[in-house]
Amino acid sequence: MAEGLEVALTDLQSSWNNVQHHTDEISSSRLLVRRGQAFNITLYSRNRAFQPGLDNIIFVTETGPLPDLSKGTRAVFSLEGHPGSSPWIASLQTIGANSLEGPVTAYKLGEFILLFNPWCPEDAVYLESEPQRQEYVMNDYGFIYQGNKNWIRPCPWNYGQFEENIIDICLELLDKSLNFQIDPATDCALRGSPVYISRVVSAMINSNDDNGVLNGNWGENYSDGTNPTEWMGSVAILKQWHATGCQPVRYGQCWVFAAVTCTVMRCLGIPTRVITNFNSGHDTDGNLIIDEYYDNTGRILENKKKDSVWNFHVWNECWMARNDLPPGFGGWQVLDATPQETSNGLYCCGPASVRAIKEGEVDLNYDTAFAFSMVNADCMAWLVFGGKEQKLHQDTSTVGNFISTKSIQSDERDDITENYKYREGSLQERQVFLKALQKLKAGRSPGSLRTESQPRSVPLSDSPRSLATPSLQPSDVVQVSLKFQLLDSPDMGQDIRFVLLALNMSPQFKDLRVNLSAQSLLHDGSPLLPFWQDTAFITLSPEEAKTYPCKITYSQYSQYLSTDKLIRISALGEEKNSPEKILVKKIITLAYPSIVINVLGAAIVNQPLSIQVVFSNPLSEQVEDCVLTVEGSGLFRRQQRVLIGVLKPHHRASLTLETIPFKSGQRQIQANLRSNKFKDIKGYTNVYIGL
């Protein structure tokens, strides 16, 4: 009888396999492979060579705390196995003098990590385009678009999904989920589904139900944590969460939740991108109408219903098949980790098919109705005066503008609004809106769209207007147009100069009284108290236009500004002897000068590199407690923090950092300057690191 084989050594060929599986950026010493793709291991025998036909090799792979063949968390397969008997297949490649491709008696060959595979046509996350795979899986930096619809600016972000320990933190995140804690066997069995994984990750990035990664904070006090505007990368956040025993990191807002989600999903192998929606609706009662309330000075009031229009909102899209939905709804799916509303009892949102959103199929899983309202709800403006509410106008086009993401292998912005909605004002767009509204009405009991305790609104038959009727604008009634126009770029530290343009489009004289006000806004649309008010009396001849100049000085707004740097100016006009009102508003985002980053000399792997950072104080007052933070995957192994101290008014300074790049290819350096007066002066530069 032949002597049994003894395995002396196992070579998982991690370095070679990882290159083939696009995981070599994560590690060259640990085996990380993608499902649906072969990988090689070499087994060295102690006593004799492997003999085909005589010897057989049986492999066992297991995952999770309770591996189970029936759940798919355990697989048994052999070299002589029949195709189809197991989803796992082993085959003999070569035989050396004392090598073979598997054990005979029981040996533990080693551990490996199995990831989703967008390169494999049979995988649910398969993405056909190689440039898209490089952008949405492999790229470790990008931009998150912020500002407002009239002033869109890119915020650089270090995703760092392949940085040291990030893969382990991502797996730890799955193990800390409520799903795993309650039923680990079922949770592990479902981890092969990108739909399931995306819901788990969406819930775990926020901490509302669990020890998730981030605490949200939309107030003004961040003294016991980090102001969300200061973050510029996911790595520091995930490592802090891990280092503190999975205690939520303080603090995040929507772009931080989305950026960390992008890091985790790309790390796990699911193609993911970050999306910004300008003027994003948050409809709390599911009637697809966002009510806004104003007083007679034109200032916006705190919303009783908590409906709101966010200046911008950021979420993710993840690419996957949707076999749980009717055909045609796979592809990009909305995933939103910002804790706004619950879904099946947890604060998570999605995946919602982008195509389902565009077509108004709001009854499809998951959370499609909420996602639809973010891009396509209507806005209703109300005047609150003397205890009564007067409808000012209803606008169908305010919500959902300039939906943006980073372009593929480019630093340009890609506008993807047409993926979410038909052209505003088109018949198709109104038909989809009505279709969505009818589906929502059908899904709840009669009269439940609004309760008696909520503010009076228009009847449902009036709210979506007939398909042929355009949005009711104030000028349709009073034939007078009001519009704000900035005279200068709104730079932080400078006075804000603008004019109110008044145009009489009628053949009659018009006498107008216009109340103007300015107030700071928080990022989620919540208003702060007005800090500037004015009243204009304007007389217009038939078809005459006039301008009314306005100025808000730095000293007037500086102490009232939130860290979001948002100012909302409003004008409420009324014609003499007429009950009609005209409302016009504009949001201003104050801008900082960017940090300039200069790479001094050629960037080569494992060679010293000097980086110059140039920054300045934009204010006409001294700022203190200045800290400069610099990071960049492949260039710095950890965040660089430099205490600057005091910067005098308009003072410009520079410093030089030394580093040794450890990864080749296209990389990005991000920098942030904070002080006691501002938190997020940012800058970035791209650098190619050669071998």
Side-chain angles (χ1 to χ4, degrees):
M1 185 174 178
E3 179 186 8
L5 288 171
E6 296 180 19
V7 175
L9 184 66
T10 304
D11 180 5
L12 297 181
Q13 298 189 35
S14 300
S15 180
W16 187 88
N17 283 319
N18 290 3
V19 170
Q20 306 306 309
H21 286 252
H22 311 279
T23 60
D24 52 308
E25 284 240 5
I26 302 176
S27 175
S28 60
S29 58
R30 301 168 63 190
L31 182 60
L32 298 108
V33 294
R34 299 187 185 277
R35 63 187 188 177
Q37 182 177 340
F39 61 96
N40 294 346
I41 63 173
T42 302
L43 304 181
Y44 294 90
S45 62
R46 190 185 307 277
N47 53 345
R48 65 174 177 83
F50 175 80
Q51 298 178 27
L54 175 65
D55 297 318
N56 189 20
I57 304 170
I58 299 174
F59 294 94
V60 179
T61 59
E62 298 179 337
T63 186
L66 299 166
D68 187 328
L69 209 60
S70 65
K71 288 181 178 290
T73 50
R74 186 173 195 264
V76 180
F77 55 102
S78 71
L79 280 175
E80 298 178 353
H82 301 289
S85 59
S86 169
W88 292 75
I89 300 171
S91 62
L92 194 63
Q93 295 292 102
T94 59
I95 304 174
N98 272 330
S99 70
L100 63 147
E101 300 289 328
V104 174
T105 51
Y107 294 93
K108 182 177 179 181
L109 303 184
E111 294 184 350
F112 64 97
I113 294 173
L114 186 65
L115 301 172
F116 290 94
N117 193 352
W119 284 266
C120 175
E122 287 75 38
D123 199 298
V125 302
Y126 174 63
L127 194 55
E128 187 175 6
S129 162
E130 178 61 19
Q132 286 189 329
R133 291 192 292 249
Q134 289 299 316
E135 181 66 51
Y136 302 135
V137 180
M138 301 302 293
N139 199 356
D140 63 4
Y141 68 87
F143 300 102
I144 302 170
Y145 294 95
Q146 299 181 348
N148 65 66
K149 70 173 186 176
N150 300 312
W151 186 75
I152 298 173
R153 69 179 181 96
C155 174
W157 196 272
N158 176 25
Y159 295 121
Q161 67 266 34
F162 304 131
E163 289 296 284
E164 186 179 14
N165 298 330
I166 293 299
I167 181 65
D168 299 298
I169 296 172
C170 292
L171 296 175
E172 181 181 29
L173 181 147
L174 299 181
D175 288 348
K176 292 294 181 183
S177 74
L178 290 179
N179 302 50
F180 183 85
Q181 300 296 321
I182 294 168
D183 187 351
T186 301
D187 174 76
C188 288
L190 292 171
R191 287 187 184 181
S193 162
V195 174
Y196 177 79
I197 284 290
S198 62
R199 284 185 67 75
V200 170
V201 171
S202 172
M204 278 301 297
I205 297 301
N206 68 69
S207 61
N208 286 43
D209 308 295
D210 41 48
N211 277 351
V213 176
L214 280 159
N215 264 343
N217 186 341
W218 287 266
E220 297 177 88
N221 182 11
Y222 307 103
S223 58
D224 58 345
T226 299
N227 188 311
T229 61
E230 292 182 43
W231 298 114
M232 54 184 176
S234 307
V235 176
I237 294 169
L238 288 167
K239 288 190 172 181
Q240 181 179 327
W241 178 73
H242 167 74
T244 57
C246 304
Q247 292 301 305
V249 176
R250 299 172 179 172
Y251 287 106
Q253 289 184 9
C254 64
W255 68 92
V256 188
F257 290 110
V260 177
T261 299
C262 184
T263 296
V264 173
M265 298 297 274
R266 286 186 183 181
C267 186
L268 296 176
I270 300 175
T272 303
R273 59 189 186 181
V274 177
I275 309 297
T276 302
N277 177 38
F278 290 93
N279 288 355
S280 189
H282 183 182
D283 175 26
T284 57
D285 57 1
N287 69 339
L288 299 185
I289 293 177
I290 304 224
D291 295 303
E292 294 185 323
Y293 298 89
Y294 296 82
D295 69 10
N296 62 351
T297 69
R299 76 176 173 117
I300 190 169
L301 303 173
E302 186 72 40
N303 195 312
K304 307 168 189 174
K305 279 201 307 95
K306 301 301 180 184
D307 275 6
S308 59
V309 177
W310 294 34
N311 201 45
F312 65 88
H313 182 51
V314 184
W315 61 71
N316 300 96
E317 284 179 3
C318 303
W319 182 273
M320 65 189 72
R322 289 300 301 270
N323 297 325
D324 58 319
L325 299 182
F329 293 102
W332 289 117
Q333 312 288 316
V334 166
L335 194 66
D336 192 349
T338 300
Q340 298 181 83
E341 304 291 334
T342 58
S343 172
N344 291 344
L346 294 178
Y347 277 95
C348 65
C349 180
S353 164
V354 172
R355 180 163 177 253
I357 295 167
K358 182 171 183 175
E359 300 298 337
E361 302 292 349
V362 295
D363 51 344
L364 296 182
N365 285 339
Y366 290 90
D367 309 305
T368 308
F370 185 77
F372 182 90
S373 72
M374 292 195 292
V375 300
N376 225 354
D378 285 357
C379 269
M380 186 88 74
W382 298 88
L383 174 65
V384 179
F385 185 65
K388 296 181 179 179
E389 296 170 5
Q390 176 187 346
K391 177 181 170 183
L392 291 171
H393 65 90
Q394 184 167 341
D395 189 349
T396 66
S397 60
T398 292
V399 168
N401 291 280
F402 300 102
I403 303 175
S404 304
T405 192
K406 178 185 176 297
S407 293
I408 298 169
Q409 297 182 323
S410 160
D411 286 355
E412 297 302 308
R413 183 182 69 88
D414 193 8
D415 191 307
I416 58 169
T417 308
E418 65 177 9
N419 293 359
Y420 281 85
K421 57 203 295 191
Y422 290 98
R423 184 178 55 82
E424 287 288 0
S426 68
L427 183 63
Q428 236 173 344
E429 186 268 338
R430 280 292 96 187
Q431 286 174 330
V432 167
F433 181 91
L434 284 176
K435 174 183 175 182
L437 192 63
Q438 292 304 318
K439 282 179 176 284
L440 288 172
K441 286 174 65 179
R444 56 187 77 187
S445 58
S448 65
L449 279 175
R450 289 184 174 271
T451 64
E452 290 303 314
S453 62
Q454 292 171 323
R456 178 187 61 82
S457 184
V458 293
L460 270 176
S461 59
D462 185 38
S463 60
R465 289 166 316 284
S466 68
L467 293 179
T469 306
S471 172
L472 176 66
Q473 297 295 331
S475 57
D476 297 336
V477 179
V478 295
Q479 298 178 303
V480 173
S481 165
L482 295 178
K483 183 181 179 182
F484 284 119
Q485 182 177 315
L486 286 170
L487 298 179
D488 310 298
S489 173
D491 294 324
M492 178 64 75
Q494 305 299 312
D495 296 345
I496 302 170
R497 299 192 315 123
F498 59 97
V499 295
L500 177 68
L501 302 173
L503 172 63
N504 180 9
M505 295 172 285
S506 77
Q508 287 89 32
F509 282 88
K510 299 288 183 181
D511 282 324
L512 298 180
R513 173 193 170 108
V514 184
N515 293 324
L516 301 103
S517 68
Q519 59 195 129
S520 288
L521 291 181
L522 300 181
H523 165 65
D524 64 358
S526 300
L528 303 181
L529 291 174
F531 55 79
W532 175 87
Q533 291 181 324
D534 192 10
T535 302
F537 296 92
I538 303 173
T539 300
L540 295 170
S541 300
E543 300 184 359
E544 182 186 14
K546 282 186 178 178
T547 61
Y548 182 80
C550 304
K551 182 172 75 171
I552 305 174
T553 65
Y554 174 65
S555 61
Q556 285 178 302
Y557 72 76
S558 60
Q559 59 184 318
Y560 297 99
L561 203 59
S562 74
T563 55
D564 299 297
K565 306 181 297 297
L566 297 174
I567 293 176
R568 180 175 189 146
I569 50 176
S570 303
L572 185 67
E574 53 185 326
E575 184 189 346
K576 190 176 181 181
N577 302 322
S578 170
E580 302 299 338
K581 307 288 191 299
I582 316 162
L583 175 68
V584 63
K585 58 201 175 186
K586 187 179 187 67
I587 292 178
I588 299 169
T589 305
L590 292 163
Y592 288 127
S594 296
I595 293 173
V596 177
I597 304 172
N598 299 312
V599 178
L600 308 178
I604 308 292
V605 168
N606 296 326
Q607 297 293 317
L609 179 66
S610 296
I611 297 166
Q612 181 191 50
V613 184
V614 183
F615 51 92
S616 60
N617 173 12
L619 306 181
S620 54
E621 58 183 313
Q622 178 174 292
V623 295
E624 301 170 356
D625 306 324
C626 296
V627 178
L628 179 72
T629 307
V630 181
E631 65 180 82
S633 288
L635 289 122
F636 300 98
R637 294 192 182 273
R638 61 186 61 85
Q639 270 191 344
Q640 307 296 301
R641 296 171 70 86
V642 182
L643 302 179
I644 306 297
V646 174
L647 280 176
K648 294 181 178 178
H650 300 295
H651 181 67
R652 185 177 175 89
S654 71
L655 58 85
T656 302
L657 299 173
E658 305 290 334
T659 190
I660 299 177
F662 54 94
K663 288 184 179 180
S664 63
Q666 191 71 25
R667 304 290 166 182
Q668 188 182 82
I669 303 169
Q670 302 92 5
N672 184 76
L673 178 68
R674 69 171 171 87
S675 74
N676 63 330
K677 296 288 185 181
F678 49 75
K679 301 300 178 187
D680 61 332
I681 295 183
K682 296 190 185 295
Y684 72 93
T685 192
N686 295 340
V687 54
Y688 185 83
I689 302 172
L691 289 168

